[in-house]
Amino acid sequence: MTTMRRFVFILISACALTCVLFGCKKSSLPEAEPSPANIIVVMVDTLRADHMSLYGYERPTTPFIDTFASGATVFERARSQAACTCPSVNSLFTSRYAFDFYVQGENEMGIPAEYPTIAEIMRDRGYHTIAVSASPIVRATASKENPKGGFGAGFDVFDESC
């Protein structure tokens, strides 16, 4: 994963999270107990920021992201924790530096059980957690590229069908 792809990956994730956390409006109806805010994290792997109209590319290549970003916080300088998908996603899901994951054995890409994930923390606080992944690497179950899976910790549903 190039630096630009990692940047966009983190940017979109942070943008979605910030927009949802700070863009929600409380209902005017009285509630016995306030509902937690909905949180959506969107991760995009292998998307180049320099080819996104959001960042000045001359063609309108990302109209839906542009529309989303118009009402969100956009980060123009961000860094990924690692140069490839696995440790970057591990870092995003656990808030740990990538070097914590470089010591795993061969063909082990998932998140070690001793590190709680954001999905586990959110689930323990009453959220329903769902992941949808088209990645052959970021999977709950094994694949040719990720023989052990291991990214499903804490998700009520982890849909890999796409």
Side-chain angles (χ1 to χ4, degrees), residues 18-143:
T18 302
C19 179
V20 172
L21 287 176
F22 297 107
C24 295
K25 218 176 181 184
K26 291 191 176 200
S27 171
S28 60
L29 299 174
E31 292 183 15
E33 191 173 310
S35 298
N38 291 319
I39 299 170
I40 300 171
V41 176
V42 178
M43 295 186 311
V44 180
D45 196 3
T46 66
L47 176 63
R48 291 178 47 171
D50 66 334
H51 281 247
M52 295 175 64
S53 42
L54 170 66
Y55 293 104
Y57 192 65
E58 62 275 1
R59 291 188 346 221
T61 54
T62 52
F64 296 108
I65 293 173
D66 298 348
T67 300
F68 176 76
S70 70
T73 300
V74 176
F75 296 90
E76 297 193 14
R77 289 178 31 182
R79 299 287 182 262
S80 176
Q81 292 296 316
C84 57
T85 300
C86 172
S88 294
V89 174
N90 287 1
S91 292
L92 182 66
F93 280 9
T94 65
S95 192
R96 298 178 84 62
Y97 288 113
F99 61 76
D100 286 344
F101 306 104
Y102 290 138
V103 297
Q104 296 187 85
E106 189 175 333
N107 293 324
E108 292 183 18
M109 296 183 196
I111 299 169
E114 65 264 24
Y115 299 135
T117 67
I118 187 69
E120 290 172 307
I121 293 166
M122 298 305 289
R123 183 198 59 208
D124 292 347
R125 285 167 175 73
Y127 284 83
H128 296 286
T129 55
I130 299 171
V132 178
S133 177
S135 171
I137 295 171
V138 182
R139 300 177 54 85
T141 61
S143 70

